[in-house]
Amino acid sequence: MDSTVAHRAISLFAESAHSSSQSRILSRPKLNKLPLSALSRKTGLRAAFRASPSVIAMSGAAAATDAEDENPKSKEVKLWGGRFEESVTETVERFTESISFDKELYRQDIMGSKAHASMLAKQGLVDNSDRDKILEGLSEIQRLIENGEFKWRADREDVHMNIEAALTDMIGEPAKKLHTARSRNDQVQTDFRLWCRDAIDRIIPCIAHLQVALVTLALKNEGLIVPGYTHMQRAQPVLLQHHLLAYVEQLERDIGRLVDCRARLNFCPLGACALAGTGLPIDRFKTADELGFSAPMRNSIDAVSDRDFVVEFLSANSIIAVHLSRLGEEWVLWASEEFGFITPSDSVSTGSSIMPQKKNPDPMELVRGKSARVIGNLVTLLTL
């Protein structure tokens, strides 16, 4: 690749993309700090159940045997177990746990807990020494998780209870104060919004990188004429540059949708608690600000029940996937003997064990195939 051409493409595109995305972000209206009352268990994360057919079909006798084999006294008391006299069976624990997948939220969960602990101390609901112990303990738990040394326990159900229980084991009584003025309802919503926001921030640069690659390819082939097709028949001659830049425009709209989605999801549910808030004197604007949210959410019921932001995020991703699928299919056709427009490099192709003459553009075919997963996730969540 000509370094001068590549540099020109990157400079031109990066400048326009930066100014375009910044103008979109800055144009979003900010929520005024209205006098809000202090706003308040999971409803949308369990999109996949990992129960085996044998568990689902378990008879009453088998379930009874399973329960008899357990020693209830040896089981850890649940955070919600105040009114319960018996422990749940291991079968129920396996069926209802979510830690096998929501442990991916650990970083966001710890971030939210740190902001919450700092706010509680500022409001005088915990003392500063307890806050410091909580913050140090959470940092140590994050270090253990990222070093692969943390033990995730299914009997602690989810990422929130695993981290809180581990914190209690580590620092004792101060850890129990972390749940003051907080429910797992507003906690999981906060974690999930932070996770989606982080995911958007990772996806946008990837799209921009693809745009730069397409612009660079267009500049390298300046003036090259190719047939334009309608109904799979040659229709009119077009410049290859013009054709490639059509994808750049599609991807630019994809970035715009993600920027808009990010702006709409960037409001903080913490303080909504279970659904009706808390009577404790918390400062929701402090936690929102510390976590980088625009403002607290205005309605506590909406704060814990809303999943629009996930549907919108998956919808934007589905459109991106369709654009990538379209690009992939076109390049698969162009690499065929019938078209012969491009010859894929050996480094991005596969072959056939029985047909040695073939060079298959499998990565592009897989781009098309994997788009079905993204669209399927959107339909799954809408149905759920």
Side-chain angles (χ1 to χ4, degrees), residues 194-267:
L194 289 170
W195 188 92
C196 289
R197 191 179 74 186
D198 291 345
I200 289 172
D201 291 343
R202 292 194 304 271
I203 293 170
I204 289 177
C206 294
I207 298 174
H209 184 74
L210 176 56
Q211 288 178 300
V212 169
L214 289 167
V215 171
T216 303
L217 185 60
L219 289 171
K220 285 181 64 178
N221 291 277
E222 196 167 355
L224 181 62
I225 298 174
V226 296
Y229 286 79
T230 63
H231 305 280
M232 285 298 291
Q233 300 177 57
R234 295 189 174 188
Q236 290 180 298
V238 297
L239 290 171
L240 178 62
Q241 293 168 289
H242 195 58
H243 191 85
L244 293 173
L245 293 178
Y247 287 106
V248 174
E249 296 296 332
Q250 294 168 20
L251 295 169
E252 180 64 14
R253 291 192 294 273
D254 291 333
I255 290 176
R257 275 182 282 269
L258 289 174
V259 169
D260 289 345
C261 175
R262 191 188 192 283
R264 268 186 290 276
L265 70 80
N266 200 36
F267 291 87

Side-chain angles (χ1 to χ4, degrees), residues 255-298:
I255 290 176
R257 275 182 282 269
L258 289 174
V259 169
D260 289 345
C261 175
R262 191 188 192 283
R264 268 186 290 276
L265 70 80
N266 200 36
F267 291 87
C268 185
L270 270 182
C273 296
L275 83 162
T278 175
L280 294 171
I282 63 174
D283 183 349
R284 299 187 64 235
F285 283 97
K286 175 174 172 53
T287 48
D289 185 62
E290 189 163 337
L291 292 171
F293 287 112
S294 301
M297 295 186 72
R298 292 178 293 191

Side-chain angles (χ1 to χ4, degrees), residues 52 73 99 104 141 254-255 280 329 339 360 365:
S52 65
K73 294 181 180 178
I99 190 59
E104 295 295 328
I141 289 172
D254 291 333
I255 290 176
L280 294 171
E329 170 65 5
F339 282 76
N360 301 324
E365 292 180 345

Side-chain angles (χ1 to χ4, degrees), residues 12-154:
L12 286 173
F13 183 76
E15 182 179 346
S16 62
H18 176 76
S19 60
S20 176
S21 61
Q22 285 298 312
S23 64
R24 282 192 294 262
I25 295 172
L26 294 174
S27 66
R28 304 300 301 181
K30 294 204 74 174
L31 186 69
N32 292 328
K33 288 194 174 184
L34 301 175
L36 304 176
S37 60
L39 297 178
S40 303
R41 175 160 180 334
K42 284 185 187 179
T43 59
L45 278 180
R46 290 188 171 88
F49 289 89
R50 289 177 166 78
S52 65
S54 60
V55 170
I56 296 172
M58 181 177 284
S59 66
T65 302
D66 186 75
E68 289 169 1
D69 288 341
E70 296 178 9
N71 179 8
K73 294 181 180 178
S74 67
K75 298 176 75 68
E76 187 172 84
V77 176
K78 304 289 188 186
L79 182 65
W80 45 262
R83 68 172 296 278
F84 289 81
E85 297 179 2
E86 298 179 47
S87 299
V88 297
T89 67
E90 289 182 4
T91 301
V92 171
E93 279 189 342
R94 288 196 303 269
F95 189 70
T96 59
E97 65 84 21
S98 64
I99 190 59
S100 55
F101 54 91
D102 69 16
K103 62 185 178 184
E104 295 295 328
L105 299 172
Y106 79 87
R107 186 178 291 105
Q108 291 77 18
D109 194 72
I110 290 173
M111 187 190 309
S113 290
K114 285 183 173 181
H116 186 66
S118 297
M119 180 276 295
L120 292 175
K122 176 179 175 290
Q123 298 300 104
L125 296 170
V126 302
D127 60 43
N128 290 339
S129 63
D130 285 343
R131 174 203 62 198
D132 294 343
K133 291 175 184 176
I134 290 170
L135 296 180
E136 291 172 10
L138 289 170
S139 294
E140 175 61 13
I141 289 172
Q142 182 166 348
R143 185 193 70 79
L144 292 172
I145 293 172
E146 293 175 350
N147 288 345
E149 300 170 12
F150 187 83
K151 183 179 179 181
W152 297 104
R153 290 175 47 172

